[in-house]
Amino acid sequence: AAEGLQDKYKSKCKGVDKCPTVPETVNSYQDDDGCPDSAVQVTDDALVILQQVNFVFNKSVIVKDSFPLLSEVAKVLKEYPRIKLVSVEGHTDLHGKPGPNMKLSQGRVTAVMKFLIKAGIDKKRLTTKAWGMTKPLITPEKTPDDAAKNRRVELKILQQDPK
């Protein structure tokens, strides 16, 4: 950065730009660092995805607008070879019957797993778990937004090498 610009733009620049050659992503994740942010965060026990994986209504078909998110998941898994086994876990909302919802969540996590394998992730690093409607985040579902939050894919780390 040119001398004096940090002071000139201090109301806009909150810290040192760690990635001066690429634009910042403003999505509430580490937005003071000047770097593009990932939609996938690695914690001790999960790959936390900050966006929803979307599917065709009542189907196990991934909507194309979720492809970049799942590609980001694959990229993160490639960057973290110490993560040996991830459980792709699927949840549905509380509408409908338990049996069909369990089948739907299994189909959806299988679709996610197939996407990740096609993106270059070894199938030995992936397993699936369907939860159907058994583990809602919000109950009762009072709004469509509540139901949407219950419909989710989670990525739990089951095995990894020490850091």
Side-chain angles (χ1 to χ4, degrees), residues 61-124:
V61 177
I62 302 167
V63 175
K64 286 183 174 63
D65 69 2
S66 290
F67 290 0
L69 173 63
L70 292 175
S71 294
E72 183 80 16
V73 169
K75 178 182 172 201
V76 169
L77 283 170
K78 289 173 186 174
E79 290 172 356
Y80 286 83
R82 69 178 173 82
I83 298 174
K84 300 299 182 190
L85 184 62
V86 172
S87 178
V88 181
E89 301 189 0
H91 303 265
T92 64
D93 61 30
L94 301 177
H95 296 94
K97 295 182 179 180
N101 272 319
M102 190 64 72
K103 185 178 177 183
L104 180 62
S105 66
Q106 183 60 57
R108 288 178 171 183
V109 294
T110 299
V112 170
M113 186 173 82
K114 286 179 179 178
F115 184 99
L116 294 173
I117 291 168
K118 190 174 179 180
I121 303 304
D122 187 336
K123 65 182 176 182
K124 294 176 190 166

Side-chain angles (χ1 to χ4, degrees), residues 31-161:
D31 283 324
D32 292 349
D33 64 359
C35 296
D37 302 324
S38 175
V40 182
Q41 298 175 0
V42 179
T43 67
D44 288 339
D45 60 355
L47 275 73
V48 178
I49 49 178
L50 302 177
Q51 300 168 11
Q52 189 113 6
V53 178
N54 294 311
F55 297 88
V56 173
F57 177 74
N58 213 24
K59 304 254 184 232
S60 299
V61 177
I62 302 167
V63 175
K64 286 183 174 63
D65 69 2
S66 290
F67 290 0
L69 173 63
L70 292 175
S71 294
E72 183 80 16
V73 169
K75 178 182 172 201
V76 169
L77 283 170
K78 289 173 186 174
E79 290 172 356
Y80 286 83
R82 69 178 173 82
I83 298 174
K84 300 299 182 190
L85 184 62
V86 172
S87 178
V88 181
E89 301 189 0
H91 303 265
T92 64
D93 61 30
L94 301 177
H95 296 94
K97 295 182 179 180
N101 272 319
M102 190 64 72
K103 185 178 177 183
L104 180 62
S105 66
Q106 183 60 57
R108 288 178 171 183
V109 294
T110 299
V112 170
M113 186 173 82
K114 286 179 179 178
F115 184 99
L116 294 173
I117 291 168
K118 190 174 179 180
I121 303 304
D122 187 336
K123 65 182 176 182
K124 294 176 190 166
R125 294 179 71 193
L126 303 168
T127 188
T128 63
K129 176 68 178 166
W131 292 104
M133 57 197 324
T134 64
K135 292 191 169 201
L137 293 175
I138 299 171
T139 184
E141 294 173 346
K142 295 180 180 179
T143 67
D145 192 48
D146 291 347
K149 288 177 183 167
N150 283 336
R151 290 187 302 268
R152 66 197 187 279
V153 172
E154 297 177 326
L155 304 163
K156 306 288 177 154
I157 299 172
L158 301 180
Q159 293 175 7
Q160 63 182 315
D161 291 338

